[in-house]
Amino acid sequence: MSARLRSLRVLVAAAPVVLSAVPAGCDRQESAAVGASTAFDTVGGVIRVTSTGTPSRWRLAPVVSIGPKSLTDRETPDEFGRVGAVALGPDGAVFVADAANLEIRVFGLDGAHLRTFGRGGEGPGEFASIYSIAWVGDRLLTYDPHLGRIGEFSAEGEWLGQRRTAGSVTGSPAFMRFFPVGPDEVFRLALGGRVLWAGLDSRGDTGDTIPFLTAPEDLPGVAGVIRCTWEEGRVGWYGHTAGAKWVQHPASGGVMYSAWGYFYRIAVTQGAGDTLRVIERTLPTEPIPDEEWDAGSAEFDEAMERWPGGSCNPRSYNRPERASFISEIFVSPDGKLWVEVIRAAGNRWEFFEPEGRLLGSVPAVPYNERTVPVFRGEYVATIRQDDLDLDHVDVWRLEPGGGE
């Protein structure tokens, strides 16, 4: 752990050097989108990409919403137990992993149910858990950490074989999942002697590995974690949800995108911390709303009321001077970088070419916190819960010319 932390500190420290004043003789290019401009500087062999202004507006046009409008006595295919993951197939079909019913249901872009395959069990084509699904080439991979295997299926649901992984692993499906980075390439988190990202394709392991990066504890914008102990032996850790997040996403070729959300700055690295480029955006700062701050400390406040007399270190949270810029980052299979930007008027998704040129922005659409958006071509799929706690799969098409 200490070796990874040291290499990460090199990465984080490298960004201010790259973002410092540009010396004479550096390469500089500029490109402009509608209302926005992007500047490219090269300093010490590292490319700095800085975008300013308002990018061209796009929109996510609704294509289909798959899910029940109400609970009925007659179960229908779109009445899911719990949607754990979604994959958009090469033929335009929507593959939905029902983690509660341990099966995969397939729908068309018109919402029609096409077929269902899989069931609970430990044999071929069966599941003990479904944490994630993703396409590599012409086969669907399924991640079953409880059985310690990755299953392979055809588009029709035929069992094609399996690959072994570390078993009995638990965690959020939003993180313990496949990370698609190409039409025939995904990464997954591999646990063993050290934590890293391992590449897979339709033929097997690609051999590409990326070290897992851990954020230093002394970065600005941290609300902090409070540790409390009680005389009877109870121990509690209470993190604040309004603090900055450390986010990372692997990309094709063993590249890692990472960011500390307190700054709009994404480092693109290779190996243990060799910086290839830094992508930066200039946006006005915003304060943390009082209601958001109060909601983020609610768990700690409730613990203090329920179990008074605890000894806590620190005694209270350190409120950052301003709100964070970045909530999440994603890399789509076509190589685009997607950044979920935190804004008081509503979060936005800004998307960039692989080299860092800002392409556009769309209003962020809602998705369940235990899931992530799925990208394929011009389509995006998200998973949300309605007011009845019923899961729905929404498919959108990215189109230019969106308004506010």
Side-chain angles (χ1 to χ4, degrees):
M1 177 65 73
S2 60
R4 290 199 305 275
L5 186 58
R6 283 196 297 272
S7 67
L8 177 65
R9 289 184 185 277
V10 172
L11 161 64
V12 174
V17 175
V18 174
L19 296 174
S20 61
V22 181
C26 68
D27 297 329
R28 182 178 179 87
Q29 299 177 351
E30 291 193 8
S31 64
V34 177
S37 63
T38 301
F40 292 77
D41 301 331
T42 302
V43 182
V46 177
I47 301 172
R48 183 188 74 174
V49 188
T50 305
S51 295
T52 58
T54 303
S56 24
R57 301 296 189 184
W58 291 58
R59 74 186 192 106
L60 288 173
V63 175
V64 66
S65 183
I66 305 169
K69 293 182 173 56
S70 63
L71 290 173
T72 63
D73 293 336
R74 188 174 70 87
E75 213 172 290
T76 58
D78 64 356
E79 189 175 310
F80 306 110
R82 185 178 75 256
V83 177
V86 173
L88 298 174
D91 56 354
V94 184
F95 290 72
V96 182
D98 191 321
N101 292 307
L102 297 175
E103 61 188 21
I104 296 174
R105 302 177 188 178
V106 187
F107 300 84
L109 286 176
D110 58 357
H113 176 246
L114 303 178
R115 56 191 170 276
T116 294
F117 59 89
R119 63 181 182 182
E122 299 183 3
E126 299 177 339
F127 305 103
S129 62
I130 313 177
Y131 269 49
S132 186
I133 58 177
W135 280 92
V136 288
D138 60 354
R139 60 188 59 206
L140 181 74
L141 299 186
T142 61
Y143 179 40
D144 187 340
H146 291 182
L147 289 182
R149 75 180 180 190
I150 294 171
E152 301 182 26
F153 293 86
S154 70
E156 291 71 34
E158 177 188 3
W159 174 256
L160 301 177
Q162 66 180 14
R163 312 175 191 183
R164 303 308 305 182
T165 68
S168 302
V169 178
T170 60
S172 169
F175 185 67
M176 302 293 298
R177 63 180 177 90
F178 295 122
F179 290 70
V181 299
D184 191 15
E185 185 180 11
V186 302
F187 277 86
R188 67 176 180 87
L189 198 64
L191 305 176
R194 62 188 182 124
V195 182
L196 49 79
W197 307 89
L200 306 170
D201 61 18
S202 57
R203 297 172 297 279
D205 294 342
T206 63
D208 284 332
T209 60
I210 308 173
F212 179 79
L213 304 179
T214 306
E217 298 178 357
D218 56 355
L219 287 173
V222 180
V225 176
I226 298 177
R227 181 181 186 272
C228 299
T229 59
W230 287 263
E231 291 183 354
E232 61 269 29
R234 182 183 298 112
V235 179
W237 286 265
Y238 304 93
H240 201 291
T241 58
K245 293 171 58 179
W246 174 258
V247 291
Q248 57 186 310
H249 199 295
S252 184
V255 171
M256 175 65 78
Y257 289 75
S258 61
W260 180 245
Y262 198 61
F263 304 98
Y264 199 145
R265 182 184 303 149
I266 298 103
V268 185
T269 58
Q270 200 161 33
D274 295 332
T275 305
L276 305 178
R277 71 177 62 88
V278 175
I279 301 169
E280 186 179 35
R281 235 350 226 119
T282 301
L283 291 178
T285 62
E286 296 180 342
I288 300 176
D290 290 339
E291 59 272 17
E292 182 180 336
W293 179 258
D294 293 341
S297 59
E299 184 181 10
F300 172 69
D301 296 338
E302 291 170 3
M304 294 301 96
E305 292 181 6
R306 184 174 182 182
W307 300 296
S311 175
C312 300
N313 184 29
R315 293 179 176 272
S316 62
Y317 294 108
N318 178 29
R319 184 166 181 167
E321 296 180 355
R322 56 176 173 78
S324 298
F325 287 107
I326 296 177
S327 175
E328 292 289 350
I329 61 174
F330 307 99
V331 178
S332 56
D334 60 6
K336 291 188 183 70
L337 166 67
W338 291 74
V339 181
E340 183 171 353
V341 185
I342 301 171
R343 297 278 83 185
N347 286 9
R348 303 191 67 84
W349 289 347
E350 296 187 339
F351 53 100
F352 302 75
E353 289 183 346
E355 61 269 24
R357 182 178 289 104
L358 179 61
L359 294 176
S361 173
V362 296
V365 295
Y367 61 92
N368 191 293
E369 63 180 9
R370 58 178 163 79
T371 66
V372 295
V374 176
F375 303 87
R376 189 180 184 99
E378 72 271 29
Y379 292 99
V380 181
T382 54
I383 304 166
R384 63 173 172 87
Q385 281 186 312
D386 63 16
D387 294 338
L388 298 176
D389 292 333
L390 302 176
D391 280 357
H392 296 252
V393 175
D394 299 322
V395 181
W396 317 78
R397 183 170 49 246
L398 183 64
E399 299 178 349
E404 288 295 332

